[in-house]
Amino acid sequence: MLPVSQIIRRKRDGGELTPAEVRELVLGYARAELPDYQMSALLMAIVFRGLTPGETAAWLDAMIRSGIVVDFSHVPGVKVDKHSTGGIGDKVSLCLAPLVAACGVPVPMMSGRGLGHTGGTLDKLESIPGFRTDQPVERFRKIVARCGLALVGQTSDLVPADRRLYALRDVTATVESVPLITASILSKKIAEGADALVLDVKVGDGAFMKTPEDARTLARSLVRAARAYGKPLVALLTRMDRPLGRTAGNALEAIEAIDVLQGRGPADVVELTLALGAEMLVLGGRAANQLEARARLRRALDDGSGLERFRAVVEAQGGDPRAVDDTTLLPRAPKITAVHATRSGWIDHIGCETVGWLNVELGAGRRTSADAVDPGVGMVFIRNVGDRVEEGDTLVEVHHRDEPAAADVVRRLADAVAIGDAPPGDVPLVLERIDE
Amino acid sequence: MLPVSQIIRRKRDGGELTPAEVRELVLGYARAELPDYQMSALLMAIVFRGLTPGETAAWLDAMIRSGIVVDFSHVPGVKVDKHSTGGIGDKVSLCLAPLVAACGVPVPMMSGRGLGHTGGTLDKLESIPGFRTDQPVERFRKIVARCGLALVGQTSDLVPADRRLYALRDVTATVESVPLITASILSKKIAEGADALVLDVKVGDGAFMKTPEDARTLARSLVRAARAYGKPLVALLTRMDRPLGRTAGNALEAIEAIDVLQGRGPADVVELTLALGAEMLVLGGRAANQLEARARLRRALDDGSGLERFRAVVEAQGGDPRAVDDTTLLPRAPKITAVHATRSGWIDHIGCETVGWLNVELGAGRRTSADAVDPGVGMVFIRNVGDRVEEGDTLVEVHHRDEPAAADVVRRLADAVAIGDAPPGDVPLVLERIDE
């Protein structure tokens, strides 16, 4: 291979790297042979120059090869997973995975922790007493075989290159690159054993992608790269201009996901669960079309088989299955403070990223990866965007500990909710479907 | 200060860093507090985004502050130095510095070693038996006071930030940035104690700047940054589309520089020495204008006072002063092989960068900084661009050791000399003068 500095130079100057070069760089970095300072310079050049489809495919392939790929040949059927790019109140994985599994599609789901202002599925799951997300690969395979799903964290055997690269990108301002994000997301999903994928690409103030254009670019990159790897992928662009559902916070969201499985979830969470689930059932070959898929999912909600799957997976992963039926067993914050409307009108918009960061300040998320999260704290959105409110109405309940910081959060949260004189325009929940 | 990743992000996105941020980053890196991987990501962002004049000034200032600045208050007069961006056969420093010193302008010259395909002044000087370029700062100050010049290498006390940064830039493809090159060149020259500077910006195939546009951009950046620091700077853009003078190689070039001081140097080397020297004399206040300056320089050539200064500095730096008068005391390669013209015509051009790399292969330069150079090897250009040649004429004599590699160099050197059917267009030695 050429000296690494010459390869970096070629990328810097707009040239293309060969698949062999990409493989050497990524695997060399995973093995700690390529120094951080050369990788970070290359990553910054990639932020500016991008990666061609060929380079992206090679990068993805090398990421996957840096670790093991989970073998699910012992589980019949097409394994399908869902990934969300993250938002405020996005608890969909918790209700979606058991519901889809109840419809016969195995869901081997490896999730992440809270990132920046957005919550993380693992943190939400761990608010269920006893629930363990740190399952070894062998156990992960067995739980999927037994329950039709598993809800675990990524083990260090899978895509070690991503862990090293992500840590480096985080401190070198090289996170924001569509091909690098593409390879990071897909490598983990492919390594966990998924045969097909549904992507929920969040769009709006509360998402990493602020505009439909950016979200579309990422979605197309993901569809193209996944297809090149032989994995069908469908992406839905969904709105994140307001919190999803009624809650943000770990136990609060787990409870809301259980509400969905009990047939009494908020309309937007239910609708998004059905929309993503329908794509998963079609990809998994368990429904011929969306209509049939939605009917099956509705049935699994109504007959309690989705809830039953969730109970099973909670128990399989060490959690207390009684908590699924008695959510008072989940932790709660000791204090609740209401945020009131300072005027009458319609909620015009909610500063969603701000809300996310305020939730982090309450303790629901992490400022650094070493922080512990507080499972009980969070927010309940009594009103949401588009709702009519009268002065003095409760807008949000803040669930918090008795900390001085909480009072400040409450104050700033009030400022994040804008009330206008007329109802805002309607924004559909699913903005766009991208499958090519 | 903000987290470093946020500062990198701002630069990446086209924003400006504050002087305080630049200082923290550069000095933090010099102290090994800022990790390599963040600096290399920032450097790559700078390659793409550049630095504003304000950022460049702050970067330069921080580089200088990372080490000591040599105090020349004990030497009367305006201290003036020259820097060349490097080329093939550029031995001008060796004859220029003593000549200018002989005219009353002190020259505190700190030079570098061969870099890439270009030779280095220190390597050339060290081909003189006994000559030591590794002089401590105290000794450097004394030699300038006694001889009016000193010809030394940079000590580790000066601009330690540059040493660390350059090593990093070299392996991360971040050398090619006008503001970073500007700060690197000027910081060393200002720290060595120069009050004013003349820059020889080489242009052409054998130079780092291949086009007049690139060279002009660098020259303007240097003039502007030096002026902002209160140091007058004049840049000459000079041709490097062919070897300068008759020789390339360490001892061969030292001998040619002595030839110049003895009044029998090749016309182009003499002319460039006079052109750069005249600028130095005017900057140093020893001549009112170019005409007067040239007359003084000519006198110092004719009366031997330039040669006398060179003899003095050689002796002061531990070299054998007899070598100045008897150049057979300098090392010579054991073998000479001629490269002949394969056809009649005019030399149309010489692949100058190739010639430089072939010289490195002979042993005249370094592939890695750990390599030792061979002082005796090199090339003598019997003919140069524009000369009429007949088939079979000697074009170049290759001075080499009896190595298999040398035969290969001879073969490839022949290919680097293109002979055409008509004389090529004339290219002036000095292309442009830039002082603002």
Side-chain angles (χ1 to χ4, degrees):
Chain A
M1 197 171 70
L2 286 173
V4 172
S5 64
Q6 289 193 37
I7 299 177
I8 301 172
R9 171 171 289 114
R10 179 146 26 96
K11 175 44 67 183
R12 182 196 75 186
D13 295 344
E16 187 167 14
L17 311 187
T18 68
E21 286 167 344
V22 170
R23 189 166 52 240
E24 275 304 303
L25 292 168
V26 173
L27 293 178
Y29 188 64
R31 289 190 300 258
E33 289 166 11
L34 183 74
D36 286 333
Y37 54 81
Q38 288 186 313
M39 182 50 87
S40 65
L42 177 65
L43 291 170
M44 186 58 85
I46 291 172
V47 167
F48 280 94
R49 294 292 191 180
L51 290 176
T52 65
E55 288 172 325
T56 306
W59 194 283
L60 170 61
D61 186 56
M63 298 267 282
I64 295 166
R65 283 169 195 268
S66 74
I68 64 159
V69 174
V70 182
D71 172 24
F72 276 112
S73 56
H74 64 300
V75 179
V78 180
K79 273 63 70 180
V80 185
D81 193 8
K82 184 232 39 163
H83 176 81
S84 162
T85 59
I88 314 300
D90 184 4
K91 67 282 292 175
V92 166
S93 288
L94 278 68
C95 40
L96 174 67
L99 202 63
V100 169
C103 297
V105 175
V107 183
M109 186 180 274
M110 284 190 176
S111 304
R113 301 205 172 267
L115 186 66
H117 64 286
T118 70
T121 296
L122 300 184
D123 298 326
K124 294 166 196 176
L125 287 165
E126 288 173 358
S127 70
I128 297 167
F131 197 100
R132 296 291 298 264
T133 60
D134 56 336
Q135 304 289 345
V137 167
E138 267 320 291
R139 182 93 192 117
F140 175 57
R141 296 176 69 233
K142 283 189 183 134
I143 298 168
V144 174
R146 189 201 305 165
C147 305
L149 78 157
L151 301 166
V152 306
Q154 207 196 327
T155 75
S156 59
D157 313 330
L158 273 77
V159 203
D162 184 66
R163 229 178 332 279
R164 278 180 63 80
L165 278 170
Y166 194 84
L168 184 66
R169 288 167 61 204
D170 191 38
V171 293
T172 56
T174 52
V175 169
E176 294 88 345
S177 158
V178 165
L180 295 178
I181 294 170
T182 298
S184 175
I185 292 174
L186 289 183
S187 63
K188 289 179 284 190
K189 293 290 164 186
I190 292 170
E192 74 177 15
D195 300 314
L197 281 167
V198 175
L199 255 294
D200 181 3
V201 184
K202 299 289 188 195
V203 188
D205 177 59
F208 291 104
M209 300 286 152
K210 305 294 183 196
T211 67
E213 293 68 38
D214 286 352
R216 203 176 291 129
T217 301
L218 176 61
R220 291 208 175 115
S221 170
L222 285 159
V223 169
R224 193 179 306 125
R227 181 179 295 172
Y229 211 86
K231 308 283 180 183
L233 187 151
V234 174
L236 299 187
L237 270 51
T238 72
R239 72 169 180 223
M240 186 34 69
D241 65 336
R242 66 195 77 176
L244 180 66
R246 283 189 298 247
T247 62
N250 296 303
L252 289 167
E253 291 192 54
I255 294 167
E256 190 171 308
I258 292 168
D259 286 350
V260 171
L261 292 169
Q262 287 173 336
R264 49 190 171 85
D268 58 348
V269 183
V270 173
E271 173 51 29
L272 187 54
T273 302
L274 293 175
L276 295 165
E279 299 289 354
M280 292 173 77
L281 260 56
V282 172
L283 283 170
R286 292 292 176 161
N289 54 48
Q290 302 276 319
L291 210 66
E292 191 186 321
R294 278 179 170 258
R296 288 195 75 136
L297 291 162
R298 277 276 174 207
R299 213 152 48 227
L301 275 182
D302 295 342
D303 67 10
S305 58
L307 187 68
E308 178 52 40
R309 289 289 175 141
F310 191 55
R311 209 181 280 115
V313 81
V314 166
E315 187 159 19
Q317 294 191 218
D320 184 347
R322 292 172 307 159
V324 176
D325 301 294
D326 177 8
T327 55
T328 65
L329 295 173
L330 270 71
R332 278 161 194 264
K335 303 256 178 180
I336 299 178
T337 303
V339 174
H340 299 288
T342 52
R343 51 164 292 193
S344 298
W346 284 265
I347 299 185
D348 190 63
H349 70 268
I350 295 181
C352 226
E353 181 168 350
T354 303
V355 168
W357 285 116
L358 291 174
N359 219 19
V360 172
E361 286 193 40
L362 289 177
R366 291 176 180 75
R367 254 167 283 217
T368 76
S369 59
D371 291 351
V373 301
D374 185 335
V377 301
M379 300 170 185
V380 177
F381 304 96
I382 307 297
R383 294 284 193 281
N384 213 326
V385 171
D387 288 350
R388 168 77 201 177
V389 295
E390 304 302 327
E391 184 181 338
D393 279 1
T394 296
L395 300 175
V396 188
E397 284 174 4
V398 179
H399 292 229
H400 62 91
R401 301 207 169 267
D402 200 7
E403 293 183 283
D408 187 50
V409 167
V410 167
R411 258 192 311 278
R412 286 151 64 204
L413 186 55
D415 294 336
V417 181
I419 299 172
D421 293 324
D426 195 40
V427 179
L429 179 63
V430 176
L431 304 164
E432 208 169 322
R433 179 182 186 277
I434 291 176
D435 64 359
E436 67 179 339
Chain B
M1 197 171 71
L2 286 173
V4 172
S5 64
Q6 288 192 38
I7 299 176
I8 301 172
R9 170 171 291 113
R10 178 145 27 98
K11 175 45 67 184
R12 182 197 75 186
D13 294 343
E16 187 168 13
L17 310 187
T18 69
E21 286 168 345
V22 170
R23 188 168 53 241
E24 274 304 302
L25 291 168
V26 172
L27 292 178
Y29 188 65
R31 290 190 300 259
E33 288 165 12
L34 182 75
D36 286 334
Y37 53 82
Q38 288 186 314
M39 181 50 88
S40 66
L42 176 66
L43 292 169
M44 185 59 84
I46 291 171
V47 167
F48 280 93
R49 294 290 190 181
L51 290 176
T52 64
E55 288 172 325
T56 306
W59 193 284
L60 170 60
D61 186 56
M63 298 266 283
I64 294 166
R65 284 169 194 269
S66 73
I68 64 161
V69 175
V70 181
D71 171 24
F72 276 114
S73 56
H74 63 300
V75 179
V78 180
K79 274 64 70 181
V80 185
D81 193 10
K82 184 230 42 163
H83 177 81
S84 162
T85 59
I88 312 300
D90 183 4
K91 66 282 293 176
V92 166
S93 289
L94 278 69
C95 40
L96 174 67
L99 201 61
V100 168
C103 296
V105 175
V107 183
M109 187 179 274
M110 285 192 177
S111 306
R113 300 205 172 268
L115 186 66
H117 64 284
T118 70
T121 295
L122 299 183
D123 298 325
K124 294 167 196 175
L125 287 165
E126 288 173 358
S127 72
I128 298 167
F131 196 99
R132 297 288 297 262
T133 60
D134 55 339
Q135 304 288 345
V137 167
E138 267 321 290
R139 182 93 191 115
F140 175 55
R141 296 175 71 234
K142 283 189 182 135
I143 297 169
V144 174
R146 189 199 308 165
C147 305
L149 78 156
L151 303 167
V152 307
Q154 205 196 326
T155 75
S156 58
D157 313 330
L158 274 76
V159 204
D162 184 65
R163 230 178 333 278
R164 278 180 62 80
L165 278 169
Y166 194 84
L168 185 65
R169 289 166 61 203
D170 189 38
V171 293
T172 56
T174 53
V175 169
E176 294 88 345
S177 158
V178 165
L180 295 178
I181 294 170
T182 297
S184 175
I185 290 173
L186 289 183
S187 61
K188 288 178 283 189
K189 292 292 164 185
I190 292 171
E192 75 175 15
D195 301 313
L197 281 168
V198 175
L199 255 294
D200 182 4
V201 184
K202 300 288 189 194
V203 189
D205 176 60
F208 291 104
M209 300 287 152
K210 306 293 184 196
T211 67
E213 293 70 36
D214 287 350
R216 203 177 291 130
T217 301
L218 176 62
R220 291 207 175 118
S221 170
L222 285 159
V223 170
R224 194 178 308 127
R227 180 179 297 171
Y229 211 87
K231 306 284 180 183
L233 187 151
V234 174
L236 299 186
L237 270 52
T238 71
R239 74 170 179 223
M240 186 35 70
D241 65 335
R242 66 194 76 176
L244 179 67
R246 282 189 299 247
T247 62
N250 297 303
L252 289 167
E253 290 192 55
I255 294 167
E256 189 170 307
I258 293 168
D259 285 350
V260 172
L261 291 169
Q262 288 173 336
R264 48 189 172 83
D268 56 351
V269 183
V270 172
E271 173 52 28
L272 187 55
T273 302
L274 293 175
L276 294 166
E279 300 289 354
M280 293 173 77
L281 259 56
V282 172
L283 283 171
R286 292 292 175 161
N289 54 47
Q290 302 277 318
L291 211 66
E292 191 185 321
R294 279 180 169 260
R296 287 194 74 135
L297 290 162
R298 277 277 175 211
R299 212 150 51 226
L301 275 182
D302 295 345
D303 66 12
S305 57
L307 188 66
E308 179 51 39
R309 290 287 175 142
F310 191 57
R311 208 181 280 115
V313 80
V314 166
E315 188 158 19
Q317 296 192 217
D320 183 348
R322 293 172 305 160
V324 175
D325 302 293
D326 177 6
T327 55
T328 63
L329 295 173
L330 271 70
R332 280 163 190 263
K335 302 260 176 173
I336 299 177
T337 303
V339 174
H340 299 289
T342 53
R343 51 165 292 194
S344 299
W346 284 267
I347 299 187
D348 189 63
H349 70 267
I350 294 181
C352 226
E353 181 169 351
T354 303
V355 168
W357 284 116
L358 291 174
N359 220 19
V360 171
E361 285 193 41
L362 288 177
R366 290 175 181 77
R367 253 166 286 215
T368 76
S369 58
D371 290 352
V373 301
D374 186 334
V377 301
M379 302 171 183
V380 176
F381 305 96
I382 307 295
R383 294 285 194 281
N384 212 326
V385 171
D387 288 350
R388 169 76 200 176
V389 296
E390 303 301 328
E391 184 179 336
D393 279 0
T394 296
L395 300 175
V396 187
E397 286 174 3
V398 179
H399 292 230
H400 62 92
R401 302 206 169 266
D402 201 6
E403 292 182 285
D408 186 48
V409 167
V410 167
R411 258 193 311 278
R412 286 149 66 204
L413 186 56
D415 294 336
V417 182
I419 299 171
D421 293 324
D426 196 37
V427 178
L429 179 61
V430 177
L431 304 164
E432 208 168 323
R433 179 182 186 277
I434 292 177
D435 64 359
E436 66 179 341

